[in-house]
Amino acid sequence: MIPSSKITPESIFLNRRRFIQGMAGVGLMSTPLIGHALQFKSNPEYKPALELTDPEHALHYNNFYELGTAKSDPFQNAEALHTDDWKVVVEGECTKPQTFDMDDLLRIDQEERIYRFRCVEGWSMVVPWIGFPLSKLLEKVQPTSKAHYVEFVSVLDRKNLPGQRFNLLDWPYKEGLRMDEAMHPLTLMATGLYGKELANQNGAPIRLIVPWKYGFKSSKSIVKIRLLEKQPISTWMEAAPREYGFYSNVNPNVSHPRWSQAKERPLGSFLKQKTLMFNGYAEEVAHLYKGMDLKKYF
Amino acid sequence: MSQALKITLLSLICSVPAISLIHRLFTDQLGANPVETLEHFSGDWTIYFLLLTLSISPLQYYFRPRWPIPMHLVRRVLGLSAFAYALIHLSVYFAFDMGLSFNDTLVDIAERPFILIGMLAFLILIPLAVTSTSGWQRRLKRRWSQLHKLIYLLTFLGILHYALLVKADLFQPLAYLSLFAALMLARQLKGLKRN
């Protein structure tokens, strides 16, 4: 399925890694670009031979409206996001609601997975995330039989986050998944990227990654996870219900009201490539939506 | 300095943004999404030059500056610069977004109002660029200034084209719209004074 031209020779891949590791060594540690190394194992099951996006692009071209709406804002304003003493509350329809700090979360086995990432705006990347399946976290709180949906609430810090000084969106940022989507083995809580801790502009210290959905479903800088009986309303659904639905699965056959989703432009590239159904994860996730009209449930 | 030299110099100044863009293109400094950078940059400068073109008459009404070359020639160079940046904008879209396919472009125009509006603005700009010469100005006489009033409409359409594209942050298109409104108001006030 993957053309051989898209496979990165291991030597180049290793060189890139060495380059990134080397940068940490020459004193660039003070920039928000490079975080600390993480303890992790590469998961061979999620190691497709795809060409990785240049980390320069993945770290400088971001949608993170809390830090500003221009693509370069999140990197420039990265220091406005304070991640010390970060805690994640998991509550709602569960028997053991808990508050986790980052040490608790990093004690869960961390693994590296290479995923495709497709933004609703029509650009895409391939990046190595580090993290753990969300299911491992949810199992710890023992969801009840009423837990049909999961809501993710992101950071709220109006004093420091420049994008939250205006009510461009209804802060804090909220997203949601159906329980079976949340428990799916592909659904990842990411703590790192390219072998390092998440950079602030990428949603430090912990974010969601749902690779078969448009990028905005993958909430950044999460502080609260709620198990719910009823479907929550996400921030973008509230802002523009005609344009952003609850499911927001990557689907080349269903256009955004203002642009086509049939193609995407990989970061760093001039030319577009075809977008794959469920972003290339149809084999793993198509069964979740069997019998659903994907035009209606966009 | 001769008038021809001054006009050449002004044209060169107007092409500085384009030259900087070409420099960034060849030194790999267009960022993660180079096509988007090219499109946004050329689109922004199209609007800047349209607004500059529209600001010449109000400047004349209110400040009567000493123009280095006749006012209508300054306006012509600025207007043609707007056309040049719009042409870059459209070419990048046609080459890299539409993959040089006329068919895909027609489908895009039919399906997406903001593309249709942008196209309309460009179509209106073409006859203005073509008839910008002194020859055409003489031949069309009074109809020339009537025709060139279309710049009001096409500038508005250009800003609307931008506003319809953004996801949530309307700050920049609204800033352009405010400048446009201010320039239009300046014209109206002068008109009232004259009556």
Side-chain angles (χ1 to χ4, degrees), chain A residues 66 80 157-168 171:
Chain A
E66 285 83 340
D157 182 1
R158 289 186 191 272
K159 209 174 80 192
N160 293 305
L161 294 171
Q164 289 188 339
R165 280 175 211 149
F166 314 93
N167 285 327
L168 203 59
W171 308 114

Side-chain angles (χ1 to χ4, degrees), chain A residues 80-274:
Chain A
L81 174 66
H82 301 294
T83 58
D84 322 329
D85 299 320
W86 196 271
K87 291 193 173 56
V88 180
V89 178
V90 187
E91 59 176 31
E93 296 293 344
C94 58
T95 51
K96 283 187 169 174
Q98 285 169 67
T99 300
F100 300 89
D101 62 25
M102 282 312 289
D103 285 342
D104 300 329
L105 296 168
L106 289 170
R107 260 195 295 275
I108 303 172
D109 285 343
Q110 306 286 311
E111 53 180 87
E112 185 179 63
R113 297 179 176 195
I114 295 170
Y115 278 167
R116 293 182 199 85
F117 182 99
R118 168 65 155 79
C119 178
V120 72
E121 295 166 352
W123 53 269
S124 66
M125 56 183 182
V126 176
V127 293
W129 301 103
I130 297 163
F132 54 87
L134 172 63
S135 61
K136 285 198 189 175
L137 181 62
L138 295 183
E139 279 159 11
K140 284 182 193 287
V141 300
Q142 298 180 357
T144 66
S145 59
K146 278 186 180 167
H148 300 315
Y149 292 92
V150 187
E151 184 182 47
F152 303 88
V153 183
S154 293
V155 60
L156 180 68
D157 182 1
R158 289 186 191 272
K159 209 174 80 192
N160 293 305
L161 294 171
Q164 289 188 339
R165 280 175 211 149
F166 314 93
N167 285 327
L168 203 59
L169 294 173
D170 183 29
W171 308 114
Y173 191 81
K174 290 176 281 310
E175 257 306 338
L177 293 175
R178 218 168 57 188
M179 196 62 185
D180 55 348
E181 298 175 326
M183 296 302 284
H184 193 281
L186 278 171
T187 303
L188 197 73
M189 288 304 282
T191 55
L193 185 60
Y194 293 104
K196 297 283 185 323
E197 284 179 347
L198 279 180
N200 284 0
Q201 65 269 27
N202 294 105
I206 188 160
R207 67 172 296 175
L208 183 67
I209 289 294
V210 195
W212 72 93
K213 291 176 180 283
Y214 292 120
F216 68 89
K217 291 295 290 183
S218 296
S219 293
K220 297 185 178 78
S221 306
I222 291 169
V223 295
K224 195 180 279 183
I225 298 175
R226 276 197 204 113
L227 293 153
L228 302 174
E229 193 176 355
K230 293 208 171 97
Q231 180 180 299
I233 292 179
S234 71
T235 300
W236 278 109
M237 283 166 79
E238 201 174 17
R242 216 174 58 86
E243 301 195 351
Y244 307 102
F246 178 77
Y247 286 94
S248 292
N249 293 315
V250 175
N251 187 341
N253 309 315
V254 176
S255 288
H256 182 278
R258 288 182 288 157
W259 54 82
S260 160
Q261 295 291 25
K263 289 178 182 174
E264 67 200 35
R265 179 172 286 127
L267 290 188
S269 164
F270 274 83
L271 298 174
K272 289 185 174 183
Q273 64 187 29
K274 281 202 168 112

